[in-house]
Amino acid sequence: MSEVNKNSLEKILRQLKCHFTWNLFKEDSVFLDDLEDRVCDQIKFLNTESKATMYNLLAYIKHVHGQNEEALKCLRQAEESIQQKHPEEAEIRSLVTWGNYAWVYYHMGRLPEAQACVDKVKQVCKKFSNPYRIECPELDCEEGWTLLQCGAKRGERVKVYFEKALAEKPDNPEFSAGLAIAMYRLDENPPKQFCTSVLKQAIELNPDNHYIKVLLGLKLQNTKKEAEGEPWVVEALEKAPCQTNVLRSAAKFYGIKGDLDKEIELLQKALTSLPNNRNICQWIARCYQEKAKKIQNTEDSEAPRNGEVEELMKQAMHYLKKAAEKGPNPLGANSDLTEPEPEQCYQTPCNKELPQANGKPLHQCYSNGQEHHGRSEDTPVLDPSRTEEKVKYQPQNGAEKELPQNARNDWYLQGLMHKQNGDLLQAAKCFEKKLGLLLRDSPSGISRFFLPESELEEGSAEVGQGAAAPVE
């Protein structure tokens, strides 16, 4: 294929409705490994009707990772899922998959195959008087679900997609579930009443969607109707005891209720299915920390329980170290599809003005901690804004030496330790040093805002020795 034809093909590709043209990771910085784990987990538990959407997203993630052959396998699985569940709508529902195929083949240099996929899209779209893209509820739904998975900032945009789809097919269970989750997201801050009816309608149309039942329970709890909401959570746990989004959302419910033991139990169960999820590890650590704090705050001074407090804090440090083994969250890392906007609760010691990345001050990157009652299922849970409530903990028996070998001298991990002990000034300094190392190769010289040149050179030497390698 000539260069002219290649350029022409690229112009056509940009007109297609698919993951490559939806700007999925532009507005939010998404940690793809965590997203990939969650998508794979949902493929395991979701019904067949929704699997094609997840396979398409997984294919795009594989492409971003440079694994184009794996991406093609995922797209084939998406095609199979569509044929099994929607044979009568296979052409329309395959448009996104074919668009993804075309882009992957294009990036692999397999231009004739990319052109063949474009031709398949054109053959369907020309029936609707548009050569390469059409408006239809199925495509709105696909884009809506994908955006729900990929970012916390798109609630209004997602809501519009599902409302458009429901305007065409008001009794569609898939569209109703998507709208319910989108509205739950939008209603969380501040909590409102009208989302409850949308969630109930979605449950009527999706009686086997247990995740929505937990969201209804949370919504009722947020509107001072906890007793009415808990049966929905209990039912979801009984019918989907291993579904991780149910477990995390239910853990949030019981955390707000004050049942820390139940919260920990559910999170540990979720962690067995998502062993690489650093956010769950941090969340469990915070639960143990809160249990220790409650014991310390008891008025029964005649029965000291220092041994129990120490054991709880050892558990907290155990899970913090597990989180550290997975590496720190990247700048502005996202989490679950129901996560609200993180509170901007961390400031540098001098409150100095810093350059911004993606519209956010860089010095906020390591602190998405939220108040316990407002946090989402996957929100990092070490909250530096609650210094008065911190439980002091000094590692015993060489606990610091038990840190992962590749993180022993890591500024990020040292910052976590200072935060755990309530020393926010030292924590902030450590996080700034880590930022300096992460940004030391930037041509803009931004790293000098965080570290002097001498320490940057020293940090580079440590990285070369493997002592404190930055997380990419």
Side-chain angles (χ1 to χ4, degrees):
M1 183 175 287
S2 69
E3 185 67 28
V4 174
N5 288 335
K6 179 179 179 181
N7 292 337
S8 176
L9 175 60
E10 183 174 349
K11 291 179 181 178
I12 294 172
L13 288 173
R14 296 187 184 282
Q15 299 178 51
L16 304 181
K17 279 192 170 185
C18 65
H19 294 63
F20 288 80
T21 60
W22 287 342
N23 296 320
L24 296 180
F25 306 141
K26 300 297 184 183
E27 297 176 18
D28 302 283
S29 177
V30 178
F31 198 14
L32 291 181
D33 288 339
D34 282 351
L35 178 59
E36 183 174 351
D37 285 345
R38 293 200 309 274
V39 170
C40 290
D41 186 66
Q42 291 195 47
I43 288 173
K44 179 179 178 182
F45 288 107
L46 285 174
N47 58 36
T48 307
E49 186 170 353
S50 304
K51 283 187 177 180
T53 298
M54 294 298 107
Y55 278 126
N56 267 308
L57 177 54
L58 184 58
Y60 184 66
I61 295 170
K62 294 291 187 184
H63 162 75
V64 174
H65 281 314
Q67 302 169 355
N68 285 320
E69 289 293 346
E70 291 298 313
L72 293 176
K73 291 180 182 178
C74 293
L75 293 174
R76 284 192 286 272
Q77 290 172 304
E79 279 189 306
E80 292 172 5
S81 179
I82 292 169
Q83 290 291 343
Q84 290 173 7
K85 192 64 180 179
H86 302 285
E88 72 288 349
E89 300 174 336
E91 281 191 341
I92 293 292
R93 287 183 174 266
S94 295
L95 289 174
V96 171
T97 306
W98 293 338
N100 287 335
Y101 262 126
W103 273 101
V104 173
Y105 282 133
Y106 175 80
H107 284 291
M108 295 175 75
R110 295 162 62 171
L111 302 186
E113 289 162 289
Q115 183 64 56
C117 293
V118 166
D119 291 341
K120 291 171 76 172
V121 173
K122 182 177 181 180
Q123 187 174 5
V124 175
C125 290
K126 70 181 181 180
K127 301 175 185 178
F128 301 89
S129 303
N130 193 315
Y132 297 110
R133 59 191 297 146
I134 61 174
E135 296 294 330
C136 72
E138 289 76 18
L139 296 188
D140 289 332
C141 177
E142 178 94 5
E143 187 168 359
W145 278 116
T146 302
L147 292 173
L148 272 177
Q149 291 289 332
C150 293
K153 297 181 178 179
R154 309 163 190 264
E156 283 291 351
R157 180 179 166 193
V158 171
K159 177 172 170 280
V160 169
Y161 282 126
F162 286 117
E163 285 178 336
K164 282 175 59 181
L166 282 168
E168 296 286 332
K169 298 182 177 181
D171 295 324
N172 184 285
E174 188 179 4
F175 304 167
S176 178
L179 179 63
I181 295 173
M183 290 188 67
Y184 174 86
R185 281 269 306 278
L186 287 171
D187 282 0
E188 276 199 305
N189 294 304
K192 301 174 185 175
Q193 295 280 351
F194 61 83
C195 176
T196 304
S197 61
V198 178
L199 287 164
K200 289 181 178 179
Q201 182 181 3
I203 291 172
E204 289 180 8
L205 294 172
N206 299 268
D208 294 327
N209 191 322
H210 306 297
Y211 176 58
I212 300 178
K213 296 174 184 177
V214 185
L215 295 187
L216 177 58
L218 282 165
K219 175 55 61 180
L220 291 167
Q221 184 183 56
N222 289 346
T223 53
K224 313 301 181 185
K225 298 178 181 178
E226 184 174 271
E228 183 182 343
E230 187 165 10
W232 291 104
V233 178
V234 171
E235 179 183 341
L237 288 171
E238 288 176 350
K239 294 185 176 180
C242 298
Q243 191 169 323
T244 54
N245 58 357
V246 168
L247 291 168
R248 292 196 305 270
S249 299
K252 180 182 177 182
F253 179 93
Y254 285 106
I256 295 172
K257 185 179 178 182
D259 190 343
L260 288 169
D261 290 329
K262 185 68 172 181
E263 184 178 15
I264 291 170
E265 174 194 337
L266 295 171
L267 290 172
Q268 288 175 332
K269 195 169 184 179
L271 195 60
T272 60
S273 295
L274 296 173
N276 296 319
N277 192 301
R278 64 187 53 76
N279 291 317
I280 295 179
C281 291
Q282 290 178 300
W283 187 350
I284 295 173
R286 176 57 187 271
C287 290
Y288 279 115
Q289 184 185 31
E290 289 192 8
K291 284 191 68 174
K293 179 190 69 181
K294 283 187 175 182
I295 293 174
Q296 285 197 329
N297 289 342
T298 57
E299 298 179 359
D300 186 7
S301 58
E302 296 180 0
R305 299 163 67 182
N306 292 337
E308 187 175 353
V309 170
E310 182 175 351
E311 180 59 33
L312 289 170
M313 293 312 300
K314 283 182 179 178
Q315 288 292 328
M317 293 307 299
H318 166 72
Y319 281 100
L320 276 179
K321 284 183 281 185
K322 287 186 70 172
E325 288 170 0
K326 315 304 178 187
N329 286 338
L331 302 181
N334 248 328
S335 56
D336 201 12
L337 61 83
T338 59
E339 181 177 21
E341 290 299 310
E343 294 175 4
Q344 298 180 350
C345 59
Y346 169 64
Q347 301 293 331
T348 53
C350 299
N351 198 30
K352 57 192 174 185
E353 292 295 325
L354 297 177
Q356 299 190 355
N358 296 326
K360 289 185 177 181
L362 288 174
H363 61 277
Q364 294 175 4
C365 67
Y366 281 116
S367 59
N368 288 343
Q370 292 175 293
E371 289 296 327
H372 178 74
H373 293 312
R375 73 176 183 248
S376 74
E377 291 83 342
D378 266 350
T379 305
V381 292
L382 291 177
D383 185 351
S385 66
R386 298 170 66 178
T387 56
E388 305 84 9
E389 300 176 353
K390 285 291 178 186
V391 178
K392 297 289 183 180
Y393 175 72
Q394 297 298 331
Q396 302 291 328
N397 302 322
E400 288 180 334
K401 295 181 180 179
E402 298 174 7
L403 298 176
Q405 182 65 36
N406 65 349
R408 195 169 293 166
N409 297 321
D410 195 301
W411 287 116
Y412 169 76
L413 189 57
Q414 291 184 38
L416 280 183
M417 301 285 281
H418 286 303
K419 283 171 67 178
Q420 180 74 13
N421 288 335
D423 191 346
L424 300 187
L425 180 61
Q426 288 300 319
K429 290 180 179 179
C430 290
F431 292 147
E432 286 186 340
K433 288 177 183 289
K434 182 64 177 181
L435 273 173
L437 293 177
L438 285 168
L439 300 170
R440 69 186 181 281
D441 294 327
S442 172
S444 68
I446 191 176
S447 58
R448 268 65 183 177
F449 281 93
F450 305 100
L451 277 179
E453 188 166 352
S454 59
E455 291 193 42
L456 281 170
E457 292 174 355
E458 181 181 345
S460 297
E462 287 181 354
V463 169
Q465 297 166 5
V471 176
E472 298 297 336

